[in-house]
Each structure stands twice: as structure tokens, then as C-alpha cells.
Amino acid sequence: MHDLIVVGGGPAGMTAALYALRNGKSVLVIEKNGFGGQITHSPKVENFPGTYSTSGNALADSMLDQILQQGAEIELEHVIHVEPGADGQTVVTEEGNRYQAGAVVLATGVKHRMLGLPGETELVGEGVSFCAVCDGDFYKDRAVCLAGGGNSALQEAILLSETCSQVTILQDLPELTGEQRLQDIVAERRNIRVRTGVRITGLDRDDNGLTGVQIQETGSGKTELVPCDGLFEAIGLIPENQAFADLVPLNAQGYFDVGEQCETVTPGIYVAGDCRNKSVRQLTTAVADGAVAALAACRYLNK
């Protein structure tokens, strides 16, 4: 039996593990895919305090090495449920294993909704991006496209317009769906072009990465190639929290409906990172959640 089990090996989960280990607790981290989460999609990370420039993979490897050096145990399995009990929590995995701990931190993260195009996954980090704050500077004075038309997409486009030579918004609906205030700002930016009623149908590339996106007008069926060096996708995030809905309430979008203290209605269960209902989802806010959740779990265990 461990003191703490962390479900998820992204920045939030690994930070939670680190803080619990530094408090003398035994920790098991269970990750279903690969350690690092969404940050591994960023070829360069230049907005993490104290780190001038590194790759997302390198940062994830460093975080993993740090918790292993501190004594963390890890398992690559898919957690499907947590059973609270009088003697602690039982974490159940798809592989049929059951792990016990005094407390659990759910740091299940999110995944970006993607277009589902051939070759799209292979281009992540090589022309396909999801975060203007993270990757926008890599396209300074270059042309980019942006998929989406909601609030998040318009905010990304505005930010990209400050560094990119041209930003082309591609929206498959007849009109933008973001709030009018953001639409007004977009309209004022001379280097932002808006194309509504178009669907992205393909991605062009060469040996260096993305070179353009293929689009089709939803009305006429007319096709066109839009040259660009990068495609930013802002068509939504997908939390994967449904398996724990009996322990932690979810909001309408499926995020854990938990505040900044990261405490849940189920004693001994905490949440951290992008899976939580919050307004800013960045590396720094993820690691902050990890620290808060771990310290709260340690207080619970010490009682």
C-alpha cells in the first residue's frame, strides 16, 4: 500500500508526486500513455520560469527523472476507477490490477480535439500546434492558419497576429461563433484573414514539415490550397473524467468541478491540472495545481 497514488503522468501529476515525496510519502504514479502529457507536443518551451529554452520532451524526461530519483514508483496502466473505502482508496486499472493508497490525486489531463486528417498526428510539433503562447514565436514573420472560430480560436488568432505575417482563420461554420468583442478585434487586425464556410480536408508537407492546408467550401464544394508554415488547431479540448464522475462532480464540459484548493467532495481524493475547471490551462498552472493537491493530500494523510 502506498501513501499516495497519482493518476496521470503529466506536469501536474509529476509535480504532485514530487511534493508528496518531499513530504516523506510513498508515491505511485500510474500513466496510461507516456509521461509528460500535452507538453511533449511542444518542440520548444520558452515560457517556463527558470528555463530559457527546452523541448517539451526534454522537460518531461527531466521531471520524470527527478521523481524517480526521489523514490517514486511508476506503472504504465490505464486507470478505470477509484473505489473509496474506510481503509483508503483502491485504484483499479484496465489491466486488472488493484492498487491501494491512503489518498489519490487525479491528474488525468485533457487531449486536444483534432481534425482527424491523414498525417496530422505526425505533424504535431512539425507544423501543427495547439498553443499560440507556447509556439507562436516559432512562426515570427511567417504565415499560419488557425482552425476554429470560437472564443479560444479568436484569442489565439489575435495573439498570433502580433508576431506572424499572416493569420488565416478557417471556420467550417457560416460565421464565427466567438463573442463580438473578439470578432471586433480580429476585424481590426490587417494581417488576420477570416474564411468561414470552409472545411480543412488535407495537409501538405515536405521534408521540413507543413507547407499548406487544403480546404473545401462547404457550399460550392470548390477546393483550394492555402500556403502556410503552421496550423494552429483551436477546436476544443476533451477531458477524460467520466470514469470518476461518481467521486467528483463534472461541469457541463466534463471537467472536474473543483476550485483552486483542488479538494473534492470525496475525502482523500484530489484533482490537479488541465482536467480541472479553470480559465487558464498552461504548464505553470498545471504544476501549481500539482503542488496544491499534493500538499492537501499530505495534510489529509497526516491526520
Side-chain angles (χ1 to χ4, degrees), residues 23 46 74 84 93 96 126 136 145 153 157 167 222 232 236 258:
N23 274 269
E46 297 182 329
I74 62 172
T93 70
E126 299 292 338
C145 288
V167 180
K222 179 183 176 182
F232 285 78
V258 172

Side-chain angles (χ1 to χ4, degrees), residues 143-149 153-154 157-158 160-161 164-171 176 183 185-196 198 212-213 215 217 224-228:
V144 300
C145 288
L146 187 141
L154 299 188
I158 292 167
L160 288 167
S161 71
C164 298
S165 61
Q166 178 76 51
V167 180
T168 301
I169 296 175
L170 303 172
Q171 164 74 309
L176 299 176
Q183 292 192 42
I185 297 174
V186 165
E188 293 171 356
R189 300 290 173 98
R190 294 185 176 182
N191 63 336
I192 297 181
R193 181 174 58 154
V194 178
R195 299 283 304 272
T196 57
V198 295
V213 299
I215 63 172
E217 294 182 359
E224 181 183 342
L225 174 65
V226 182
C228 63

Side-chain angles (χ1 to χ4, degrees), residues 139-154:
Y139 298 93
K140 181 177 175 61
D141 299 326
R142 300 164 74 184
V144 300
C145 288
L146 187 141
N151 283 345
S152 296
L154 299 188

